[in-house]
Amino acid sequence: QVQLVESGGGLVQAGGSLRLSCAASGTRFDLSNMGWFRQAPGKQRELVAMIASGGSPNYADSVKGRFIVFRENAKNTVSLQMNSLKPEDTAVYYCNSRVWGVNYWGKGTLVTVSS
C-alpha cells in the first residue's frame, strides 16, 4: 500500500521560508515522478513543482526562482524548499506520486503566510 506523508507546514510571515517534506512508502520511489500541488480556499488544486524519476525539476511560473524541489531516493523523500513566501502561497500542500500510470496523494499539510 502506497503511503505519502507530508510534514513541515505551518505559519510564517511574508518573506520567510519553510521546507516541506514527503516520505513515501510501499512504492518504487526511484521510478516515481514526484510532485507538489496546492489548493487554496475556493480554488482548484494546482501544480507547484514536479521532479521526475530522473531528477529533472519543473515549476509553476508563480514559484519559479522562489521554490526548489529535490528528492533523496535513498531516503524515499521529496522536499520543497519555499523561500520568499507570499500571502498568496497560503494553501494546503499535497505530495503526489505517479508511477506506472497511477497517481497517489498525501493528506496534505497547511501552509499559512501572513502579511
Side-chain angles (χ1 to χ4, degrees), residues 20-72:
L20 306 182
S21 292
C22 172
S25 60
T27 185
R28 282 294 303 274
F29 185 83
D30 58 322
L31 300 180
S32 304
N33 293 327
M34 301 298 298
W36 287 95
F37 288 72
R38 68 187 180 188
Q39 188 166 16
K43 295 189 176 181
Q44 290 190 334
R45 192 172 297 189
E46 63 176 1
L47 173 68
V48 175
M50 292 198 74
I51 184 164
S53 58
S56 300
N58 285 285
Y59 300 94
D61 287 343
S62 59
V63 306
K64 279 181 182 176
R66 300 189 297 123
F67 291 9
I68 300 171
V69 62
F70 58 96
R71 62 191 295 159
E72 296 180 82

